[in-house]
Amino acid sequence: MSDRYAVFGNPIGHSKSPRIHAAFAAQTGEAVVYEAIEAPADDFAGAWRAFVAAGGRGANVTVPFKQDAFALAEVHTPRAHLAGAVNTLWLDADGRVRGDTTDGVGLVRDLQAHAAPLAGARVLLLGAGGASRGVIQPLLEAGVDTLRVANRTPAKAQALAALFAGSGRVDGCGFEALEGDFDLVINATSASLAGELPPLPETLFASEALAYDMMYGAEPTVFLRWAEARGARTLDGLGMLLEQAAESFWLWRQVRPETAALRERLRAEL
């Protein structure tokens, strides 16, 4: 008898999560079936309850339901509490709904897999939305020296930075106030979806800097093309997707799948 897991979103037809978790199950020998569920935009909780009633054990949660999942969870991990969002749900031995966020761990592990500068690095995080909030604490815990959040609305960047001020050297500013150079620049804005670029200064990258876009596709995003033209190494978010899924699988099954070979297969399929 296989245990049921799923990914909830709206829309969800594009999700690679069923492909990824099927590969994890085959690799590890875990008895897992995994499906994609498009929940009604106004009733994520009802969709979750129906899934659990039908035998569901846990789920990933994507746009636009991460805040709904946070509200639904009865127990939050410390990193989910800081992020204010949940992308992984599961039932514990007492039947309580537990919530965690694996996005930040996924980002850090992908960066580490590509020998990215983290320990002692000067990091710039573009955007002050939920994608940024979920990765700040893991980046600080990875040992970065400073982390600056930049956003079109300076007050949003400053407010987000203030939430994590007790965890490391983090500040916020508007794009127009950016100065200096950085070892790692992470694009967590949605600009890449529209083929747009945030208003960034030309002198953004230190020597041997890495530019990372959380978006991914068959072709480099406009941000990555812009960064490469200015001498930066580049990396997109496909590996982050894979590594956050591996962390979710571990939370559910206490088994950690290997990701390197699957990363190459997913890249070839784009």
Side-chain angles (χ1 to χ4, degrees):
M1 186 74 175
S2 296
D3 293 328
R4 286 187 67 194
Y5 298 88
V7 58
F8 287 85
N10 188 329
I12 199 60
H14 65 285
S15 176
K16 295 185 181 297
S17 293
R19 164 87 168 85
I20 291 171
H21 284 279
F24 288 165
Q27 178 198 131
T28 61
E30 291 291 300
V32 165
V33 293
Y34 189 105
E35 62 190 300
I37 297 176
E38 184 168 303
D42 60 352
D43 194 19
F44 167 74
W48 164 260
R49 287 193 295 268
F51 173 68
V52 170
R57 295 281 303 276
N60 291 125
V61 183
T62 187
V63 175
F65 298 125
K66 291 184 180 182
Q67 279 69 44
D68 298 273
F70 183 88
L72 185 147
E74 299 168 82
V75 182
H76 301 93
T77 63
R79 62 192 181 194
H81 180 75
L82 282 167
V86 157
N87 79 339
T88 306
L89 294 169
W90 71 100
L91 300 176
D92 66 17
D94 298 319
R96 296 176 300 178
V97 182
R98 290 188 172 265
D100 197 359
T101 179
T102 64
D103 289 333
V105 172
L107 171 65
V108 168
R109 289 208 178 118
D110 190 35
L111 289 168
Q112 291 170 335
H114 290 86
L118 284 176
R122 295 161 296 170
V123 178
L124 173 62
L125 184 60
L126 304 175
S132 292
R133 181 165 173 165
V135 303
I136 291 176
Q137 186 68 22
L139 286 167
L140 293 173
E141 290 174 353
V144 305
D145 179 59
T146 58
L147 192 153
R148 176 160 296 161
V149 181
N151 192 63
R152 289 183 186 275
T153 306
K156 289 184 66 175
Q158 292 158 359
L160 181 57
L163 291 175
F164 296 89
S167 299
R169 297 172 62 188
V170 53
D171 61 26
C173 67
F175 290 134
E176 72 286 348
L178 279 173
E179 59 183 20
D181 54 23
F182 299 88
D183 304 302
L184 172 63
V185 180
I186 301 169
N187 183 21
T189 73
S190 59
S192 291
L193 291 174
E196 299 173 352
L197 183 72
L200 302 172
E202 294 288 320
T203 57
L204 198 62
F205 301 104
S207 176
E208 300 183 2
L210 175 68
Y212 190 102
D213 199 320
M214 290 188 183
M215 304 298 174
Y216 65 89
E219 300 296 330
T221 66
V222 64
F223 169 72
L224 294 182
R225 294 195 302 270
W226 180 86
E228 184 176 29
R230 285 150 185 81
R233 295 188 296 132
T234 62
L235 187 63
D236 71 14
L238 182 64
M240 176 180 172
L241 171 72
L242 183 59
E243 295 295 343
Q244 65 82 23
E247 180 73 3
S248 293
F249 195 89
W250 183 85
L251 289 169
W252 296 329
R253 312 298 296 185
Q254 297 296 289
V255 175
R256 190 174 298 283
E258 185 275 331
T259 57
L262 182 55
R263 181 187 292 111
E264 296 307 311
R265 292 204 298 274
L266 290 174
R267 178 69 64 190
E269 293 170 4
L270 289 178

